[in-house]
Amino acid sequence: MKRLITLLILIYSISAVAQSDSIVEKKTKPTFKLSLNYNTGLNYYGRTDSLKSTGVFPLIELWINDGLYINAAPIFVNNKSKSFDYAGTVASIGYQFNKSKKWMANIYLLKPFYKESSELVQSALQAQSGTSISLLNKYLNLNVGGDIKYSDKLDYGANIGVDHLIRIENKDTSVFVIDPSIYVYAGTQNFTKTYYKKTNASLLMPATQQMVTKKVQTFNVLAYELSVPFVYAKKHWQLIATPAYVLPQNLVTIPGHSEQSERGENMFYGTVAVKYSF
């Protein structure tokens, strides 16, 4: 893979941090939140750059009520080549349905704004929309989601997972939440396929082989992931930690061109955050 950095994994980190409030508190009036977040290993479903980059992103959230939210996060990247380099900003608007103890859902529209000189694939993502729904019970929650990524073409993603929510309310009014989760992620992949096609012989020309190159899009499993989010909340403060282990699947490789092949491996990474609400 080229020496590049991707913002895509931070989109999921931002979404997870922004929605962590739904398992801690209900918002009945407009709420403004600020948080500082750190990602220990930037990856896209286990796919990484060659620099093993980490990311820092302050997140600004406005919850207009218990459902409608707007957020934005400038992204700063650290690696062996650059330190605290501004790479772009990700902004989103969404609505979270949480009217029942038996289910909850979320819809969102996301827009990244890339820095022109950053080492990003500018066409990788122009916008993204998605939805998810969770069927809740005290034993095991079932979560299903899907998304559409808009660039010079459309890409589709899907995920399914289960989690078990453990919520502890302490006597000092603080809340502690643990949510072990297992997910399967899938999506479209685009690559170039080259093969040889045999032409038919004629009276004047013998049969020959012609090289044909065409673009191919397939829908495959991209990764399996295990994570254990921890949230500790007291009054206006939240401490959030999400250790995770990801196993990438169906890496696209190009024989003889390792620099153009996807780079990925099973890896531990995590996101930690400190959040203040007012």
Side-chain angles (χ1 to χ4, degrees), residues 176-179 228-232 239-243:
F176 184 64
V177 172
I178 308 175
D179 190 25
V228 187
F230 295 88
V231 182
Y232 176 78
L239 300 177
I240 304 167
T242 307

Side-chain angles (χ1 to χ4, degrees), residues 7-21 35 37 39 56-61 63 69-75 88-92 110-111 240 271 275:
L7 287 182
L8 295 180
I9 191 60
L10 287 176
I11 290 169
Y12 299 98
S13 299
I14 291 167
S15 177
V17 171
Q19 295 179 41
S20 64
D21 300 306
S35 63
N37 310 269
N39 185 288
V56 176
F57 52 102
L59 177 63
I60 304 170
E61 304 173 59
W63 287 82
Y69 64 88
I70 302 171
N71 60 51
I75 312 300
T89 296
V90 176
S92 64
L110 180 146
K111 174 66 178 176
I240 304 167
T271 301
K275 179 181 291 189

Side-chain angles (χ1 to χ4, degrees), residues 222-261:
L222 299 179
Y224 304 106
E225 185 172 82
L226 296 85
S227 64
V228 187
F230 295 88
V231 182
Y232 176 78
K234 185 173 182 180
K235 294 183 178 180
H236 298 287
W237 290 94
Q238 286 187 36
L239 300 177
I240 304 167
T242 307
Y245 185 69
V246 62
L247 299 87
Q249 305 293 310
N250 294 305
L251 296 172
V252 175
T253 59
I254 302 176
H257 295 277
S258 60
E259 76 285 353
Q260 298 179 12
S261 301

Side-chain angles (χ1 to χ4, degrees), residues 103-120:
W103 67 275
M104 64 180 294
N106 180 62
I107 57 173
Y108 69 89
L109 176 63
L110 180 146
K111 174 66 178 176
F113 300 91
Y114 297 107
K115 177 183 173 184
E116 291 184 2
S117 59
S118 65
E119 293 180 289
L120 298 168

